[in-house]
Amino acid sequence: MAKDPLMPKHQGFPLGLPGTQWQYTIRRANPKVTPVTNWPRHRTMDQTVALADLGFMQALWQYFGTEPFERGNLDGERLCRLFGREVIAAERGFDPQSYFAKLKINEPLARKNFPEAFGEVKDEQSVAKGLKKKARE
C-alpha cells in the first residue's frame, strides 16, 4: 500500500456544521487532492449549504484571523466555494493541489458577504444554533 501524502492538521478547528452533512475538515490526505479553484455559488433549496459557508467563514476568522494559513486538512469543497472571493492565495506560485498552499482571508469582501461571521461566537455549537435560528427567520 502506498503511503499517504503528509498533510498539516489544524488542531481545534471545527469538524463541520453540527446537525448537517457539511464538513469543514478532512481526516486524512487523499492522493487525488481536490484542487482549490473558484466554484460558483448557486442558490439552492438546501439552506444548510449557505449556513455551512457562513459557519466555515466564521471558523476561519476565529481560528486564523488576518494571518496567512496552510490549506492543510481544510475541506476542499468548502474552500472552493469561498476561493477567489473571501479566501485568496497568500503566496506567489500558489499550488492549488498542495496541502501546504498558503491562503488568507480577504477581510473586506468577507465582511461584506458574511457580516454575521465576524460577530462574537464562543464555540461551534453556538455557531450552529445561531445560524439555524437565522435560517428559520
Side-chain angles (χ1 to χ4, degrees):
M1 176 190 270
K3 185 177 179 184
D4 288 337
L6 295 175
M7 172 182 67
K9 294 197 176 188
H10 302 295
Q11 300 296 327
F13 197 87
L15 301 176
L17 185 64
T20 68
Q21 66 183 2
W22 304 115
Q23 64 186 30
Y24 298 160
T25 61
I26 57 175
R27 290 187 202 140
R28 64 185 80 70
N30 185 340
K32 296 179 184 175
V33 180
T34 301
V36 178
T37 57
N38 183 336
W39 289 6
R41 287 194 297 250
H42 301 290
R43 288 195 171 272
T44 177
M45 296 297 288
D46 185 358
Q47 298 236 338
T48 63
V49 176
L51 292 177
D53 289 343
L54 176 57
F56 186 62
M57 186 71 244
Q58 186 167 43
L60 287 173
W61 178 250
Q62 288 181 343
Y63 201 86
F64 302 112
T66 57
E67 296 298 313
F69 57 92
E70 289 182 328
R71 173 190 178 166
N73 67 330
L74 299 176
D75 182 59
E77 180 179 349
R78 291 269 74 81
L79 283 172
C80 288
R81 291 181 55 80
L82 301 177
F83 187 73
R85 294 176 291 263
E86 296 84 12
V87 174
I88 56 176
E91 63 188 353
R92 285 188 173 193
F94 175 76
D95 181 1
Q97 289 190 294
S98 171
Y99 287 121
F100 297 94
K102 293 277 189 183
L103 302 165
K104 68 179 181 179
I105 296 173
N106 180 358
E107 187 179 353
L109 188 59
R111 283 187 182 275
K112 179 182 172 200
N113 292 346
F114 295 103
E116 303 91 350
F118 294 88
E120 292 208 19
V121 178
K122 294 170 181 50
D123 61 30
E124 66 189 66
Q125 291 296 327
S126 61
V127 170
K129 287 177 187 172
L131 296 177
K132 287 179 182 177
K133 179 180 177 186
K134 187 126 180 121
R136 283 182 287 197
E137 295 173 351

